[in-house]
Amino acid sequence: MKVKSKGINDFTKAELEELAANGQVIDVRSTLERFFGKVKGATHAPLMKVSNFDGPKDKTYYVYCASGLRSQRACEELAAKGYKTVNLKGGYGSFTNK
């Protein structure tokens, strides 16, 4: 499955929180990074543990990290397991700086 990308700034805070409430936003940053801010309701699955993710495969998952690099790797790993994923380019740092 081809991994798609979309900028995190393509979403409003409310849109991301709605997706998170539906279990579709995955934060692959460390616990320490999340201490400084996160998308409310996002599932925490650090990159090193993303292989353990076992959500339903009938949803599209929006994945973010601090800059978009780790989330790209996570998207590739999840896509290889049959998940539909979207890498949120720019990451949380970009979203909080708009």
Side-chain angles (χ1 to χ4, degrees):
M1 175 178 298
K2 185 172 170 62
V3 177
K4 300 174 279 182
S5 289
K6 191 167 187 165
I8 196 167
N9 284 326
D10 292 339
F11 295 91
T12 66
K13 179 181 177 187
E15 288 170 331
L16 281 177
E17 288 178 352
E18 182 178 340
L19 287 167
N22 290 326
Q24 293 179 258
V25 178
I26 302 172
D27 182 346
V28 296
R29 298 175 304 152
S30 70
T31 300
L32 179 60
E33 288 172 296
R34 286 173 50 89
F35 177 77
F36 297 103
K38 59 186 177 264
V39 173
K40 181 180 175 185
T43 299
H44 186 218
L47 180 59
M48 295 189 62
K49 296 183 181 182
V50 79
S51 62
N52 297 330
F53 182 76
D54 65 350
K57 292 188 176 177
D58 64 340
K59 296 181 176 185
T60 299
Y61 294 94
Y62 299 85
V63 185
Y64 75 93
C65 64
S67 68
L69 297 175
R70 286 176 287 174
S71 54
Q72 179 64 40
R73 289 194 350 233
C75 283
E76 291 168 358
E77 189 170 337
L78 291 169
K81 291 175 59 177
Y83 289 99
K84 293 177 275 186
T85 61
V86 176
N87 176 37
L88 296 178
K89 296 182 300 186
Y92 190 75
S94 175
F95 187 67
T96 57
N97 290 327
K98 66 177 183 173

